[in-house]
Amino acid sequence: MSAFADALADAGGAAAPRERAGQLRSLLERELERGAGELAKPRSGYGDPIAVAVAAVPGSGLLAVAPVAASLRADPYQVDERGWLLVAALAGALVVAGGRPITAGAFPGGHLVLRSPGDDPELATLAFDEYVADVDRVRARALAVPGAVLEPAAVDLREPIGARHPLKVAEALAALGANPADPGAADANEDAVLAALGPDEHQVTRPHDDPQPARRVARRILQRLAGMGKWGGYHTEFSHLARGFAGNDRALAEDVGEKLLKSGLLLEKPSVGQRHVFLNPRRAAEIYALVDKGAVPRGLDL
């Protein structure tokens, strides 16, 4: 086990006395740095599982910290798929153990802190371990820690920026009883998640009303993917792009999907036997301009 896990067990776990909090916090910071390094590898946590820490902080609810950048709250696009699925599992665990809403902030060292109402860190650790078990090429575990270890992070916790932030998608999936760390969960629960999230804040004009057929289809495809937070951590099968289209529009949607890939607005994730696609986070401004206003970016031939 890691030095942090050893010290935590020696101190009494979540019941460790407050005077051990400083030592445990220092070791946790080192453990989070190790975890961040592990997530950069092709296979993460196989020597010693990546650790996330969960605590009940009086007056603040459940707090949890993960080895990814705290800036995820504002910019979800910088975390790769496995890092995101780890966070999604943690967000879902907090929903199971504490409810909603999820807010986010920073731990010393710049790592992500999540908060939910509630006071049962043991339940959160069990839910996390269950959710994360099937994440590909990641071995991780949750550890319950004394509230005093995470207490300094219980300030400046805010909602993720954007009505369709992937953290809100993960929260909605967990509330529906789905595993938010399952990449296919968002597709399987699309209608329910969209209903739970409410109107898309980016929608200014209705893509459905666009008089140009190919542009209308492109706008609808991108709008749906953005609405479901499909920016990399969540992705979808290419064949799903034609969902919701009927008649000639279905074949048109498949053709438009290929053109969105060719233009770079969509990116493809290699997968055995299937094509999976996601929105290109570096093209977010162009994607929203096309969805909102019908502004076709250079390189997209519709």
Side-chain angles (χ1 to χ4, degrees):
M1 294 199 301
S2 67
F4 170 68
D6 284 341
L8 179 64
D10 179 68
R18 194 174 185 87
E19 55 266 26
R20 298 290 296 270
Q23 175 208 18
L24 292 173
R25 189 181 307 121
S26 177
L27 289 172
L28 175 58
E29 290 174 20
R30 295 183 203 171
E31 177 62 18
L32 292 169
E33 290 296 331
R34 184 190 75 85
E38 284 291 315
L39 284 172
K41 298 177 181 178
R43 291 161 61 89
S44 305
Y46 278 70
D48 190 21
I50 295 169
V52 302
V54 185
V57 177
S60 296
L62 281 175
L63 294 186
V65 61
V68 302
S71 53
L72 170 68
R73 185 185 72 83
D75 182 7
Y77 315 135
Q78 62 180 285
V79 179
D80 68 12
E81 180 181 11
R82 288 180 300 124
W84 161 248
L85 294 179
L86 182 87
V87 171
L90 188 57
L94 291 182
V95 170
V96 169
R100 306 166 71 181
I102 296 289
T103 53
F107 191 70
H111 298 290
L112 179 72
V113 170
L114 300 178
R115 175 200 173 275
S116 75
D119 59 3
D120 192 343
E122 298 293 344
L123 178 56
T125 62
L126 292 173
F128 174 83
D129 291 349
E130 180 179 343
Y131 282 152
V132 84
D134 294 329
V135 176
D136 189 33
R137 294 176 291 123
V138 173
R139 298 290 181 268
R141 61 179 170 175
L143 298 171
V145 304
V149 173
L150 300 190
E151 196 169 21
V155 296
D156 198 30
L157 294 160
R158 307 178 189 178
E159 284 195 25
I161 294 176
R164 302 300 179 89
H165 192 290
L167 269 173
K168 294 187 178 181
V169 176
E171 179 184 322
L173 286 169
L176 291 166
N179 179 356
D182 174 2
D187 276 346
N189 296 275
E190 180 174 341
D191 290 342
V193 170
L194 289 174
L197 294 179
D200 187 345
E201 64 181 16
H202 290 287
Q203 184 175 345
V204 178
T205 61
R206 278 175 49 86
H208 292 68
D209 297 333
D210 194 313
Q212 206 281 330
R215 188 173 61 202
R216 179 179 68 247
V217 167
R219 294 174 69 187
R220 288 180 61 190
I221 288 172
L222 296 175
Q223 180 189 43
R224 188 169 76 244
L225 294 179
M228 292 297 293
K230 300 294 181 71
W231 294 96
Y234 288 135
H235 42 83
T236 193
E237 289 184 35
F238 181 85
S239 61
H240 289 174
L241 298 184
R243 278 183 174 178
F245 295 100
N248 293 335
D249 274 357
R250 191 167 185 86
L252 180 59
E254 294 177 358
D255 179 60
V256 167
E258 296 288 358
K259 290 179 176 179
L260 291 170
L261 275 169
K262 184 177 180 181
S263 72
L265 294 183
L266 292 184
L267 299 177
E268 187 167 357
K269 170 184 165 55
S271 182
V272 177
Q274 296 175 333
R275 299 175 71 192
H276 285 250
V277 297
F278 57 94
L279 297 166
N280 184 346
R282 297 182 181 275
R283 307 284 296 277
E286 295 167 277
I287 288 168
Y288 282 126
L290 177 53
V291 172
D292 293 350
K293 305 172 184 176
V296 178
R298 183 176 300 176
L300 176 59
D301 179 13
L302 294 175

CSV table of all heavy atoms in Angstrom, one decimal, residues 162-184:
chain,number,residue,atom,x,y,z
A,162,GLY,N,-21.6,26.0,-16.7
A,162,GLY,CA,-22.3,25.6,-17.8
A,162,GLY,C,-23.4,24.6,-17.5
A,162,GLY,O,-23.2,23.6,-16.7
A,163,ALA,N,-24.6,24.8,-18.0
A,163,ALA,CA,-25.7,23.9,-17.7
A,163,ALA,C,-25.5,22.5,-18.1
A,163,ALA,O,-26.1,21.6,-17.6
A,163,ALA,CB,-27.0,24.5,-18.3
A,164,ARG,N,-24.7,22.3,-19.1
A,164,ARG,CA,-24.5,20.9,-19.6
A,164,ARG,C,-23.0,20.4,-19.4
A,164,ARG,O,-22.5,19.7,-20.1
A,164,ARG,CB,-24.7,20.9,-21.1
A,164,ARG,CG,-26.2,21.3,-21.5
A,164,ARG,CD,-27.2,20.4,-20.9
A,164,ARG,NE,-28.6,20.8,-21.2
A,164,ARG,CZ,-29.3,20.4,-22.2
A,164,ARG,NH1,-28.7,19.5,-23.1
A,164,ARG,NH2,-30.5,20.7,-22.4
A,165,HIS,N,-22.4,20.9,-18.3
A,165,HIS,CA,-21.1,20.5,-17.9
A,165,HIS,C,-21.1,19.0,-17.7
A,165,HIS,O,-22.1,18.5,-17.1
A,165,HIS,CB,-20.7,21.2,-16.6
A,165,HIS,CG,-19.2,21.0,-16.3
A,165,HIS,ND1,-18.7,19.8,-15.8
A,165,HIS,CD2,-18.2,21.9,-16.3
A,165,HIS,CE1,-17.4,20.0,-15.6
A,165,HIS,NE2,-17.1,21.2,-15.8
A,166,PRO,N,-20.1,18.2,-18.1
A,166,PRO,CA,-20.1,16.8,-17.9
A,166,PRO,C,-20.3,16.3,-16.5
A,166,PRO,O,-20.9,15.3,-16.2
A,166,PRO,CB,-18.7,16.3,-18.4
A,166,PRO,CG,-18.4,17.3,-19.5
A,166,PRO,CD,-19.0,18.7,-19.0
A,167,LEU,N,-19.9,17.2,-15.5
A,167,LEU,CA,-20.1,16.8,-14.1
A,167,LEU,C,-21.6,16.8,-13.8
A,167,LEU,O,-22.1,15.9,-13.0
A,167,LEU,CB,-19.5,17.8,-13.2
A,167,LEU,CG,-18.1,17.5,-12.7
A,167,LEU,CD1,-17.5,18.6,-11.9
A,167,LEU,CD2,-18.0,16.2,-11.8
A,168,LYS,N,-22.4,17.6,-14.5
A,168,LYS,CA,-23.8,17.6,-14.3
A,168,LYS,C,-24.5,16.4,-15.0
A,168,LYS,O,-25.5,15.9,-14.5
A,168,LYS,CB,-24.4,19.0,-14.8
A,168,LYS,CG,-24.0,20.2,-13.9
A,168,LYS,CD,-24.7,21.4,-14.3
A,168,LYS,CE,-24.2,22.6,-13.4
A,168,LYS,NZ,-24.9,23.9,-13.7
A,169,VAL,N,-23.9,16.0,-16.1
A,169,VAL,CA,-24.4,14.8,-16.7
A,169,VAL,C,-24.1,13.6,-15.8
A,169,VAL,O,-25.0,12.8,-15.6
A,169,VAL,CB,-23.7,14.6,-18.1
A,169,VAL,CG1,-24.1,13.3,-18.7
A,169,VAL,CG2,-24.0,15.8,-19.0
A,170,ALA,N,-22.9,13.5,-15.2
A,170,ALA,CA,-22.6,12.4,-14.3
A,170,ALA,C,-23.5,12.4,-13.1
A,170,ALA,O,-24.0,11.4,-12.7
A,170,ALA,CB,-21.1,12.5,-13.9
A,171,GLU,N,-23.8,13.6,-12.6
A,171,GLU,CA,-24.7,13.7,-11.5
A,171,GLU,C,-26.1,13.2,-11.8
A,171,GLU,O,-26.8,12.5,-11.1
A,171,GLU,CB,-24.8,15.2,-11.0
A,171,GLU,CG,-25.7,15.5,-9.9
A,171,GLU,CD,-25.8,17.0,-9.6
A,171,GLU,OE1,-24.7,17.7,-9.7
A,171,GLU,OE2,-26.9,17.5,-9.3
A,172,ALA,N,-26.6,13.6,-13.0
A,172,ALA,CA,-27.9,13.2,-13.5
A,172,ALA,C,-28.0,11.7,-13.7
A,172,ALA,O,-29.0,11.0,-13.3
A,172,ALA,CB,-28.3,13.9,-14.7
A,173,LEU,N,-26.9,11.1,-14.2
A,173,LEU,CA,-26.9,9.7,-14.5
A,173,LEU,C,-26.9,8.9,-13.1
A,173,LEU,O,-27.7,7.9,-13.0
A,173,LEU,CB,-25.6,9.3,-15.2
A,173,LEU,CG,-25.6,9.6,-16.7
A,173,LEU,CD1,-24.2,9.4,-17.3
A,173,LEU,CD2,-26.6,8.7,-17.5
A,174,ALA,N,-26.2,9.4,-12.2
A,174,ALA,CA,-26.2,8.7,-10.9
A,174,ALA,C,-27.6,8.8,-10.2
A,174,ALA,O,-28.0,7.8,-9.6
A,174,ALA,CB,-25.1,9.3,-10.0
A,175,ALA,N,-28.2,9.9,-10.3
A,175,ALA,CA,-29.5,10.1,-9.8
A,175,ALA,C,-30.6,9.2,-10.4
A,175,ALA,O,-31.6,8.8,-9.8
A,175,ALA,CB,-30.0,11.5,-9.9
A,176,LEU,N,-30.3,8.8,-11.7
A,176,LEU,CA,-31.2,7.9,-12.4
A,176,LEU,C,-30.9,6.4,-12.1
A,176,LEU,O,-31.5,5.5,-12.6
A,176,LEU,CB,-31.0,8.1,-13.9
A,176,LEU,CG,-31.6,9.4,-14.5
A,176,LEU,CD1,-31.1,9.7,-15.9
A,176,LEU,CD2,-33.1,9.4,-14.4
A,177,GLY,N,-29.8,6.2,-11.3
A,177,GLY,CA,-29.4,4.8,-11.0
A,177,GLY,C,-28.5,4.2,-12.0
A,177,GLY,O,-28.2,3.0,-11.9
A,178,ALA,N,-27.9,5.0,-12.9
A,178,ALA,CA,-26.9,4.5,-13.9
A,178,ALA,C,-25.5,4.7,-13.3
A,178,ALA,O,-25.3,5.5,-12.4
A,178,ALA,CB,-27.1,5.2,-15.2
A,179,ASN,N,-24.6,4.0,-13.9
A,179,ASN,CA,-23.2,4.2,-13.6
A,179,ASN,C,-22.6,5.3,-14.4
A,179,ASN,O,-22.4,5.1,-15.6
A,179,ASN,CB,-22.4,2.9,-13.8
A,179,ASN,CG,-20.9,3.0,-13.4
A,179,ASN,OD1,-20.4,4.1,-13.1
A,179,ASN,ND2,-20.2,1.9,-13.5
A,180,PRO,N,-22.3,6.5,-13.8
A,180,PRO,CA,-21.7,7.6,-14.6
A,180,PRO,C,-20.3,7.3,-15.2
A,180,PRO,O,-19.9,8.1,-16.1
A,180,PRO,CB,-21.7,8.7,-13.7
A,180,PRO,CG,-21.7,8.1,-12.3
A,180,PRO,CD,-22.4,6.8,-12.4
A,181,ALA,N,-19.6,6.3,-14.7
A,181,ALA,CA,-18.3,5.9,-15.2
A,181,ALA,C,-18.4,4.9,-16.4
A,181,ALA,O,-17.4,4.5,-16.9
A,181,ALA,CB,-17.4,5.4,-14.1
A,182,ASP,N,-19.6,4.6,-16.8
A,182,ASP,CA,-19.8,3.7,-17.9
A,182,ASP,C,-20.0,4.6,-19.1
A,182,ASP,O,-20.9,5.4,-19.2
A,182,ASP,CB,-21.1,2.9,-17.7
A,182,ASP,CG,-21.4,2.1,-19.0
A,182,ASP,OD1,-20.7,2.1,-20.0
A,182,ASP,OD2,-22.5,1.4,-18.9
A,183,PRO,N,-19.0,4.6,-20.1
A,183,PRO,CA,-19.1,5.5,-21.3
A,183,PRO,C,-20.4,5.4,-22.0
A,183,PRO,O,-20.8,6.3,-22.7
A,183,PRO,CB,-17.9,5.1,-22.1
A,183,PRO,CG,-17.0,4.5,-21.2
A,183,PRO,CD,-17.8,3.8,-20.2
A,184,GLY,N,-21.1,4.2,-22.0
A,184,GLY,CA,-22.3,4.0,-22.7
A,184,GLY,C,-23.6,4.5,-21.9
A,184,GLY,O,-24.7,4.5,-22.5
